[in-house]
Amino acid sequence: MGKPLFYEILEKPATSFIIALCGAIWFYIQRKNIGYSHVGLSYENAVEGHHWRIITSAFSHISVIHLVFNMSALWSLGVIEQLGHLGLGVAYYLHYTLVLVVLSGVLVLGMYHILIQRFKVEYFRRVTAVGYSCVVFGWMTILSVKQPSSKLDLFGFLSLPISFAPFESLIFTSIIVPQASFLGHLSGIVVGYAIAWGLIHGMNNFWAISMLGWIVVVFILSLKRSGAYDFNFLEIESVTDPTLPSVRFLGNGRTLQMSVLPVEGVEVV
């Protein structure tokens, strides 16, 4: 007989929070009748400066089935929070969730860029992806390396050996769900192996907080510059070096100069 749900939630606080967050966002999307074009990530809107979509696309789900599948897998992967003795644990989970969200989004855009510019596959210019699957596949991969004896439980009755789960799930979802983003899932696997093998390492509280801070800055600036949302208290204007924007907080006369990253299908990830 398993533990009561309440105790499992306490043992997986970060996982439980992310599941609750994705659920709340899904509910908001349904209430406001928001679609893929409002929150999804595509090569075309990324080129236009909508870099904030790397974040919104990861945590947004349009279909309830898509949400349930991703959150069911994520709940099973929450065992990572309990493996502090293997160098994992809650802090590791939070630190590298940030890395997975950002890098998997950047990597899939890089794949689109190569396919469009090098191979002239224009289909990928407008493909719009949403969903947390990139991160789910990343954690599947990390757990398959760190704890290959683990199992991935889906929907409470389907159990897969974790060592094969990333590629089994990649093939399964590509066959069962034609709209599933093969490249999005693959990007999560690639970043997951890079983390598990130590190619991406050194994350701690300082770097995680710094990274989160830059994510917030780029998120707000890209929202402002893309015209997706008007932040009345911020004004972006040219400075001496045209490659560096300044951010002026109206009312106090202060100007901050900083460097900022350059700013029809549907796929679910």
Side-chain angles (χ1 to χ4, degrees):
M1 190 172 182
K3 295 180 182 178
L5 179 61
F6 175 75
Y7 291 104
E8 290 200 53
I9 290 173
L10 292 179
E11 291 176 350
K12 304 175 182 179
T15 302
S16 300
F17 172 78
I18 292 171
I19 290 173
L21 176 62
C22 288
I25 291 172
W26 174 83
F27 182 76
Y28 180 82
I29 284 173
Q30 300 307 309
R31 287 290 301 271
K32 298 296 184 180
N33 198 29
I34 294 172
Y36 293 98
S37 62
H38 298 100
V39 294
L41 176 68
S42 73
Y43 180 82
E44 187 172 66
N45 55 43
V47 169
E48 292 173 353
H50 294 228
H51 301 118
W52 52 270
R53 290 174 180 266
I54 291 176
I55 306 301
T56 60
S57 64
F59 293 95
S60 300
H61 298 80
I62 307 300
S63 163
V64 66
I65 295 176
H66 186 206
L67 173 70
V68 170
F69 181 86
N70 279 352
M71 296 305 103
S72 175
L74 188 64
W75 178 255
S76 180
L77 293 166
V79 68
I80 291 167
E81 296 188 62
Q82 304 167 18
L83 298 177
H85 60 286
L86 295 178
L88 304 178
V90 178
Y92 182 95
Y93 184 87
L94 290 172
H95 295 166
Y96 286 99
T97 290
L98 276 178
V99 174
L100 283 166
V101 168
V102 175
L103 289 192
S104 61
V106 171
L107 181 58
V108 77
L109 288 174
M111 292 179 182
Y112 287 164
H113 179 78
I114 292 171
L115 289 168
I116 294 166
Q117 302 298 333
R118 178 74 174 177
F119 298 100
K120 309 303 179 185
V121 185
E122 289 297 315
Y123 165 78
F124 290 101
R125 186 175 296 277
R126 294 182 178 84
V127 167
T128 302
V130 295
Y132 202 69
S133 300
C134 287
V135 181
V136 169
F137 273 77
W139 281 122
M140 278 187 204
T141 304
I142 293 168
L143 191 58
S144 72
V145 174
K146 300 288 189 179
Q147 186 79 338
S149 61
S150 297
K151 299 280 187 180
L152 177 68
D153 296 317
L154 296 175
F155 309 113
F157 63 87
L158 180 61
S159 183
L160 301 174
I162 195 65
S163 54
F164 301 108
F167 295 102
E168 287 177 342
S169 299
L170 183 64
I171 295 170
F172 176 78
T173 53
S174 296
I175 294 173
I176 301 301
V177 186
Q179 285 185 317
S181 175
F182 180 88
L183 292 180
H185 296 169
L186 183 61
S187 70
I189 292 174
V190 171
V191 177
Y193 274 123
I195 293 171
W197 291 341
L199 302 177
I200 299 173
H201 61 91
M203 284 293 288
N204 53 34
N205 289 338
F206 171 79
W207 288 114
I209 292 171
S210 299
M211 184 176 182
L212 181 61
W214 279 109
I215 289 172
V216 171
V217 169
V218 173
F219 186 89
I220 293 174
L221 290 180
S222 64
L223 271 176
K224 175 75 175 180
R225 297 186 67 172
S226 66
Y229 190 87
D230 184 22
F231 291 91
N232 294 324
F233 61 94
L234 283 178
E235 180 178 317
I236 301 175
E237 57 186 22
S238 299
V239 290
T240 304
D241 184 349
T243 65
L244 300 179
S246 68
V247 180
R248 180 157 59 88
F249 291 84
L250 301 181
N252 59 16
R254 298 179 182 177
T255 300
L256 172 65
Q257 180 176 322
M258 64 184 70
S259 63
V260 180
L261 295 173
V263 281
E264 201 131 66
V266 171
E267 290 187 342
V268 294
V269 295

